Amino acid sequence: MKRKSLSIIVAAGLSAALALGGCARASQDSAGAPGEITMWTHSAGNPGELAVYKQIIADFNASQHQYKIVQQNFPQGSYNDAITAAAAAHKLPCLLDMDGPVMPNWAWAGYLQPLGLPDSLINSLLPTTVGRYRNTVYSAGYWDAALSIFARRSVLDKNNIRIPTVDKPWTLDEFDAAVTTLKANGYATPLDLGAADTGEWWSYAYSPMLQSAGGDLINRGTMKSADGALNGPDAVTFFTWFQQAFTNKWADNSGPVGNQRFIDNKVALSYTGVWNAKDALAAVGGDLLILPPVDFGKGPKIGGGSWQWGISAGCPNADGARAYLKFSFQDSYLTAFADSQVVIPSTASAAAASKYFSDTGALHQFAVLSQKFALARPATPGYPVISSTFEKAAKDIMNGAEVKSTLDTAVQAIDTDIKSQNNYGF
């Protein structure tokens, strides 16, 4: 099952609601007893995750008598609608979770306040689990996800393909040679890139490849334009390769979404994430390889930044909300999230205690990949438009569109949005 961290970006309706709010601060209507702190999550239907939250809340509420956390859980499919309605009515909860790339949009619109947790805590977390907008921390998360290439050692050995390492990943030439060899030796489609998926997966999965090639979604130095980053020579080179991967039938977009084709040995290499690792390990056992990403020329990259917690701007009990969040980042809770959800803990000490991600854990490689190669998506309020525009352009190129003109059109759409919003505060 695909992790929630890869959910479709917040609906356009939410962005519109936030934009209409400008930088006006949201009022917060607890409607409960003094000291009650409302907390909304997107985790309904996920019993493992909810069990950890239940324990944290029970422990915090028992640890003091000034504040009481009152939790409300929404199914992921309706969570964004609930947030949209609450934002429009100025009745956001005190504590709310959000997909990391969305946070700058919320902060820009004035619906979040600076997180205000101690620097010592923030500095102990994986950088991609900390959400910043204009150098201010607004959110932080308990875990992150990571991508890898799954392979079978026996298949690579049989085909005399070098097994890449973190210190010496595949170059693009090696990768091309590997898939060519695999296609010539029994795999009609040797590579599963996950192209049957939709939404935020496209930016999360493929923009790191673009960044490894030297391009990007936007010029991160200014956050004011995508020109030269998304349509420059490095971007054109990468997307030409991306298109050829489908033209050469190394990959396709026929599905299914997930890692099943690798488990069934219908593909030799699967570009997928930690959320599929447990099932792959059960099916493939000791033959499973968790490989680093390909170096497209400027160093390997993988996506980073998943669900995180923030405090609404109008929260009447912000000190209590902050106290709860500080309490909740204990390593024992982070390890519990990691082992119940198969996600990477946000501190090294919590990872060291994890049955999956410790030095001897079967999935330790994911913790290494996250530490070494993860790159957060651009921290700009314009990210929802950037992400949807990137997805459209990449799909068009996959389906045969001319590369440079398609990227130029995407840049124009992104830059038009940025200018219409007065550069989103940059």
Side-chain angles (χ1 to χ4, degrees), residues 82-280:
I83 292 291
T84 300
H90 304 297
K91 292 184 178 181
L92 287 169
C94 264
L95 289 162
L96 62 164
D97 64 353
M98 67 205 81
D99 207 356
V102 176
M103 180 280 295
N105 191 284
W106 295 24
W108 163 73
Y111 285 85
L112 298 174
Q113 61 179 276
L115 199 60
L117 295 180
D119 288 345
S120 57
L121 192 162
I122 294 298
N123 293 337
S124 73
L125 304 178
L126 284 171
T128 50
T129 64
V130 178
R132 289 181 169 87
Y133 169 55
R134 298 182 67 187
N135 298 318
T136 297
V137 175
Y138 285 91
S139 59
Y142 304 127
W143 49 267
D144 206 352
L147 292 169
S148 169
I149 298 172
F150 289 4
R152 287 172 168 81
R153 181 182 298 273
S154 59
V155 170
L156 298 191
D157 287 346
K158 178 182 177 181
N159 288 279
N160 296 313
I161 296 171
R162 181 181 73 86
I163 296 173
T165 65
V166 167
D167 294 327
K168 192 177 179 182
W170 277 329
T171 65
L172 183 56
D173 286 344
E174 282 186 291
F175 187 54
D176 288 353
V179 292
T180 298
T181 296
L182 292 164
K183 186 171 179 62
N185 288 279
Y187 289 95
T189 306
L191 174 63
D192 185 356
L193 285 174
D197 210 338
T198 59
E200 183 56 16
W201 165 257
W202 280 72
S203 291
Y204 177 77
Y206 307 132
S207 67
M209 294 179 175
L210 168 65
Q211 291 143 2
S212 178
D216 209 336
L217 294 167
I218 193 172
N219 295 296
R220 296 193 187 218
T222 65
M223 295 293 190
K224 294 180 179 180
S225 174
D227 191 35
L230 186 53
N231 62 348
D234 291 332
V236 171
T237 297
F238 165 71
F239 274 107
T240 299
W241 174 89
F242 187 76
Q243 187 177 74
Q244 289 174 347
F246 294 91
T247 302
N248 295 341
K249 300 191 183 303
W250 294 343
D252 60 38
N253 64 337
S254 63
V257 174
N259 197 46
Q260 192 60 44
R261 289 199 294 173
F262 175 75
I263 288 175
D264 295 339
N265 202 23
K266 293 180 180 178
V267 299
L269 304 173
S270 179
Y271 182 56
T272 189
V274 65
W275 55 92
N276 283 323
K278 189 175 178 181
D279 288 344

Side-chain angles (χ1 to χ4, degrees), residues 8-52:
I8 296 174
I9 209 73
V10 168
L14 175 56
S15 295
L18 297 180
L20 287 172
C23 290
R25 292 198 169 273
S27 63
Q28 207 280 344
D29 183 4
S30 296
E36 282 196 352
I37 297 171
T38 52
M39 170 180 162
W40 286 9
T41 83
H42 71 290
S43 302
N46 189 330
E49 194 165 4
L50 288 177
V52 182

Side-chain angles (χ1 to χ4, degrees), residues 346-395:
S346 56
T347 68
S349 48
S354 166
K355 67 180 179 181
Y356 292 119
F357 300 102
S358 67
D359 289 348
T360 58
L363 304 181
H364 174 68
Q365 179 77 344
F366 276 106
V368 174
L369 296 178
S370 183
Q371 291 164 4
K372 290 186 70 71
F373 301 134
L375 179 66
R377 283 148 284 182
T380 169
Y383 181 76
V385 171
I386 292 172
S387 180
S388 61
T389 302
F390 178 86
E391 178 185 6
K392 181 182 185 306
K395 285 182 174 178

